[in-house]
Amino acid sequence: MLRVIPLSFAILISSAAIATAEPPAGDDLATCRDRQAEAQARATACDNLLNADRLTGKDKAIALTVRGNTLINKRDNVRAIETLSMAIDLDPDNVVALNLRGLGYERRGQDDLAMADYNLALQKRPTYGVPYNNRGVIQLRRGALQSALDDFNLSIKYTPKFLLGWTNRARVRTLTKDFNGAIADFAEAEKIDPAAPQIAGNRCVTWGLMGKFDQAFADCNGLIEKQPRNVFAINNRAGVSMLKGDLDAALKDYNTAIQINPNSVRAHSGRGQIYERRKDLAQARADYRAAAYSLTRFDDLDVARARAVAQERLAALTPQAPAGSTGRRVALVIGNGAYNNVHALPNPPRDAKLIAGVLRDVGFQTVISVSDLTRDKFFEALQRFAAEAETADWAVVYYAGHGFEIGGVNYLVPVDAKLAADRDAETQAVALEQVIAAVGAARKVRLVMLDACRDNPFAPTMQRTLSLKLVDKGFSNIEPGAGFMVVYAAKHGETAMDGDGGADSPFATALAREIKVPKVEIRKLFDIIRDDVWAVTKHEQQPFSYGSPPGREDFYFVAGK
């Protein structure tokens, strides 16, 4: 993790139950004002006061800032920005709120707005060390290494006990090949917190780039022994093995990382490089594709670098499409209903069967129809389909089953998922980006349809270990890349209905009916389906489309004459 929020506002939501007895207003006010108060107690006190509308002026700004920080920790960045903006309106000199709002903007990929807030916070308080660190992170991600170094120097100058200032400067020094300076910075960070995992995890890479592989492996191995499922450390050890030229060891680590977290961008990008070196170009493309696509505008630094490599190499290895059109259309249809650990859904397998039949009827040459997929089978199906999409003009995925957002990431849920805790989603579920990747190789139409915006049945029992925003209903907003179209059966944040009395879902029913109508262009088709579902559900469900196929051509499921 590269950026941090002020330690006095580092609010983490505890999974412990909050007592129902409400403290007196005076106690709440004192606690809300107290920067040294226990984080959860302070958040609760501020919320009590805000909910009772007891505050005005700067006190209200303080309480809104604490609430905004809680929302930042949950990655609920839109609401965080709204809340922090209210705090800044009440107290324009609240530099903590400015810094936090900058962080919210940054995590939404709005770096210019983030920089404006960091700069304003520093203009108002030049000795405030944290915004220097956060501004340096943006500079680092942009590749402006000297500017990043200057900011981390100032962060350390004004907050010398701020661990991330030291570790981030060490990373810049590593990139500029000031290896001795980087090692010295890691040593200073150890004085602050000897157990901080980012020290050994990042120093491992620095030692590797120095060619001191014994020290590198000692750092990575020590961390992995303590945290065997630490994918960050496993990926770093794989990178060191590649530097050493031991591709077998690197491949073993990347395979381990992907087995733990099949959504790992860094592991897929790294493994793709190994397969490319070994001339297994089909597998290299598959891994690069799994790492290349994003539905948001923000990646952490290591992920951004790995994704950029995957995008560059995928473009280089993708065969040029022959002139003209093959007319080949392929589809993957998934219906997950027989869930092992929550109540079963009777409709998805039936809906999937309906849609698969209709796609065959309208002339799709290949329709892969599968139901009740476990995690591993789900990823296998996506990889198999991605290979089909490489030789197709159209690639279409239809998914019915459980799906929801956790911490700003949309997931489709395999039938064997347990999801006992929020953090389990990235290792037990399928990130929507992986589905986007599966259709990505098609030449023209790349379409994903998700009849999956149902209530989250795991939410009532899911342990909140990461303080993430846990959405009980539906998916979040997305930004697919050019040439991709993603259709939700229900608008983001809303739920899709199942059919009554054994009937197919409203979305599947409308889709199956309208898709067979000749000469309806694909964009208009989904407008019609939206209107049909909106009407039949009595305005309770509204499908929503994101993105679009290429704009210079019209596309029809049934072209007509």
PDB file of all heavy atoms in Angstrom, residues 101-113:
ATOM      1  N   ARG A 101     -10.030  14.101   0.835  1.00  0.00           N
ATOM      2  CA  ARG A 101     -10.783  14.214  -0.416  1.00  0.00           C
ATOM      3  C   ARG A 101      -9.860  13.976  -1.607  1.00  0.00           C
ATOM      4  O   ARG A 101     -10.256  13.348  -2.603  1.00  0.00           O
ATOM      5  CB  ARG A 101     -11.467  15.582  -0.529  1.00  0.00           C
ATOM      6  CG  ARG A 101     -12.453  15.631  -1.707  1.00  0.00           C
ATOM      7  CD  ARG A 101     -13.226  16.935  -1.747  1.00  0.00           C
ATOM      8  NE  ARG A 101     -12.369  18.077  -2.099  1.00  0.00           N
ATOM      9  CZ  ARG A 101     -12.808  19.309  -2.281  1.00  0.00           C
ATOM     10  NH1 ARG A 101     -14.100  19.575  -2.129  1.00  0.00           N
ATOM     11  NH2 ARG A 101     -11.976  20.288  -2.595  1.00  0.00           N
ATOM     12  N   GLY A 102      -8.625  14.458  -1.498  1.00  0.00           N
ATOM     13  CA  GLY A 102      -7.651  14.164  -2.547  1.00  0.00           C
ATOM     14  C   GLY A 102      -7.459  12.677  -2.727  1.00  0.00           C
ATOM     15  O   GLY A 102      -7.367  12.168  -3.853  1.00  0.00           O
ATOM     16  N   LEU A 103      -7.402  11.956  -1.617  1.00  0.00           N
ATOM     17  CA  LEU A 103      -7.254  10.508  -1.690  1.00  0.00           C
ATOM     18  C   LEU A 103      -8.465   9.863  -2.365  1.00  0.00           C
ATOM     19  O   LEU A 103      -8.333   8.933  -3.160  1.00  0.00           O
ATOM     20  CB  LEU A 103      -7.062   9.953  -0.280  1.00  0.00           C
ATOM     21  CG  LEU A 103      -6.602   8.504  -0.134  1.00  0.00           C
ATOM     22  CD1 LEU A 103      -5.294   8.264  -0.852  1.00  0.00           C
ATOM     23  CD2 LEU A 103      -6.479   8.144   1.339  1.00  0.00           C
ATOM     24  N   GLY A 104      -9.662  10.370  -2.054  1.00  0.00           N
ATOM     25  CA  GLY A 104     -10.863   9.863  -2.705  1.00  0.00           C
ATOM     26  C   GLY A 104     -10.822  10.088  -4.198  1.00  0.00           C
ATOM     27  O   GLY A 104     -11.137   9.190  -4.996  1.00  0.00           O
ATOM     28  N   TYR A 105     -10.432  11.313  -4.610  1.00  0.00           N
ATOM     29  CA  TYR A 105     -10.312  11.593  -6.043  1.00  0.00           C
ATOM     30  C   TYR A 105      -9.270  10.685  -6.694  1.00  0.00           C
ATOM     31  O   TYR A 105      -9.471  10.158  -7.799  1.00  0.00           O
ATOM     32  CB  TYR A 105      -9.920  13.050  -6.260  1.00  0.00           C
ATOM     33  CG  TYR A 105     -11.051  14.040  -6.134  1.00  0.00           C
ATOM     34  CD1 TYR A 105     -10.904  15.190  -5.344  1.00  0.00           C
ATOM     35  CD2 TYR A 105     -12.255  13.857  -6.805  1.00  0.00           C
ATOM     36  CE1 TYR A 105     -11.932  16.125  -5.226  1.00  0.00           C
ATOM     37  CE2 TYR A 105     -13.285  14.783  -6.691  1.00  0.00           C
ATOM     38  CZ  TYR A 105     -13.127  15.912  -5.900  1.00  0.00           C
ATOM     39  OH  TYR A 105     -14.139  16.825  -5.794  1.00  0.00           O
ATOM     40  N   GLU A 106      -8.149  10.501  -6.019  1.00  0.00           N
ATOM     41  CA  GLU A 106      -7.076   9.671  -6.583  1.00  0.00           C
ATOM     42  C   GLU A 106      -7.567   8.251  -6.832  1.00  0.00           C
ATOM     43  O   GLU A 106      -7.301   7.660  -7.876  1.00  0.00           O
ATOM     44  CB  GLU A 106      -5.878   9.675  -5.643  1.00  0.00           C
ATOM     45  CG  GLU A 106      -4.684   8.908  -6.169  1.00  0.00           C
ATOM     46  CD  GLU A 106      -3.533   8.886  -5.183  1.00  0.00           C
ATOM     47  OE1 GLU A 106      -3.552   9.655  -4.199  1.00  0.00           O
ATOM     48  OE2 GLU A 106      -2.615   8.067  -5.397  1.00  0.00           O
ATOM     49  N   ARG A 107      -8.303   7.715  -5.886  1.00  0.00           N
ATOM     50  CA  ARG A 107      -8.777   6.333  -6.026  1.00  0.00           C
ATOM     51  C   ARG A 107      -9.884   6.198  -7.060  1.00  0.00           C
ATOM     52  O   ARG A 107     -10.214   5.093  -7.459  1.00  0.00           O
ATOM     53  CB  ARG A 107      -9.234   5.810  -4.668  1.00  0.00           C
ATOM     54  CG  ARG A 107      -8.067   5.572  -3.718  1.00  0.00           C
ATOM     55  CD  ARG A 107      -8.523   5.057  -2.380  1.00  0.00           C
ATOM     56  NE  ARG A 107      -7.381   4.743  -1.529  1.00  0.00           N
ATOM     57  CZ  ARG A 107      -7.492   4.372  -0.269  1.00  0.00           C
ATOM     58  NH1 ARG A 107      -8.687   4.283   0.299  1.00  0.00           N
ATOM     59  NH2 ARG A 107      -6.412   4.111   0.439  1.00  0.00           N
ATOM     60  N   ARG A 108     -10.433   7.309  -7.480  1.00  0.00           N
ATOM     61  CA  ARG A 108     -11.379   7.292  -8.595  1.00  0.00           C
ATOM     62  C   ARG A 108     -10.689   7.582  -9.920  1.00  0.00           C
ATOM     63  O   ARG A 108     -11.350   7.744 -10.954  1.00  0.00           O
ATOM     64  CB  ARG A 108     -12.504   8.302  -8.359  1.00  0.00           C
ATOM     65  CG  ARG A 108     -13.515   7.821  -7.327  1.00  0.00           C
ATOM     66  CD  ARG A 108     -14.689   8.764  -7.186  1.00  0.00           C
ATOM     67  NE  ARG A 108     -15.362   9.045  -8.459  1.00  0.00           N
ATOM     68  CZ  ARG A 108     -16.197   8.214  -9.086  1.00  0.00           C
ATOM     69  NH1 ARG A 108     -16.464   7.028  -8.560  1.00  0.00           N
ATOM     70  NH2 ARG A 108     -16.775   8.553 -10.234  1.00  0.00           N
ATOM     71  N   GLY A 109      -9.360   7.658  -9.889  1.00  0.00           N
ATOM     72  CA  GLY A 109      -8.623   7.919 -11.115  1.00  0.00           C
ATOM     73  C   GLY A 109      -8.646   9.367 -11.547  1.00  0.00           C
ATOM     74  O   GLY A 109      -8.277   9.689 -12.678  1.00  0.00           O
ATOM     75  N   GLN A 110      -9.044  10.277 -10.654  1.00  0.00           N
ATOM     76  CA  GLN A 110      -9.116  11.705 -10.967  1.00  0.00           C
ATOM     77  C   GLN A 110      -7.899  12.402 -10.370  1.00  0.00           C
ATOM     78  O   GLN A 110      -7.990  13.194  -9.429  1.00  0.00           O
ATOM     79  CB  GLN A 110     -10.429  12.289 -10.438  1.00  0.00           C
ATOM     80  CG  GLN A 110     -11.663  11.676 -11.096  1.00  0.00           C
ATOM     81  CD  GLN A 110     -12.961  12.118 -10.443  1.00  0.00           C
ATOM     82  OE1 GLN A 110     -13.269  11.744  -9.305  1.00  0.00           O
ATOM     83  NE2 GLN A 110     -13.732  12.917 -11.163  1.00  0.00           N
ATOM     84  N   ASP A 111      -6.739  12.104 -10.940  1.00  0.00           N
ATOM     85  CA  ASP A 111      -5.483  12.564 -10.352  1.00  0.00           C
ATOM     86  C   ASP A 111      -5.354  14.077 -10.344  1.00  0.00           C
ATOM     87  O   ASP A 111      -4.756  14.653  -9.422  1.00  0.00           O
ATOM     88  CB  ASP A 111      -4.301  11.943 -11.095  1.00  0.00           C
ATOM     89  CG  ASP A 111      -4.048  10.497 -10.699  1.00  0.00           C
ATOM     90  OD1 ASP A 111      -4.721  10.018  -9.770  1.00  0.00           O
ATOM     91  OD2 ASP A 111      -3.185   9.856 -11.318  1.00  0.00           O
ATOM     92  N   ASP A 112      -5.877  14.773 -11.348  1.00  0.00           N
ATOM     93  CA  ASP A 112      -5.752  16.223 -11.378  1.00  0.00           C
ATOM     94  C   ASP A 112      -6.500  16.864 -10.204  1.00  0.00           C
ATOM     95  O   ASP A 112      -5.996  17.806  -9.567  1.00  0.00           O
ATOM     96  CB  ASP A 112      -6.276  16.776 -12.707  1.00  0.00           C
ATOM     97  CG  ASP A 112      -5.354  16.437 -13.875  1.00  0.00           C
ATOM     98  OD1 ASP A 112      -4.196  16.072 -13.620  1.00  0.00           O
ATOM     99  OD2 ASP A 112      -5.807  16.529 -15.036  1.00  0.00           O
ATOM    100  N   LEU A 113      -7.694  16.349  -9.919  1.00  0.00           N
ATOM    101  CA  LEU A 113      -8.449  16.866  -8.771  1.00  0.00           C
ATOM    102  C   LEU A 113      -7.749  16.513  -7.465  1.00  0.00           C
ATOM    103  O   LEU A 113      -7.731  17.309  -6.521  1.00  0.00           O
ATOM    104  CB  LEU A 113      -9.869  16.309  -8.779  1.00  0.00           C
ATOM    105  CG  LEU A 113     -10.774  16.808  -9.921  1.00  0.00           C
ATOM    106  CD1 LEU A 113     -12.110  16.082  -9.893  1.00  0.00           C
ATOM    107  CD2 LEU A 113     -10.984  18.318  -9.822  1.00  0.00           C
TER     108      LEU A 113
END
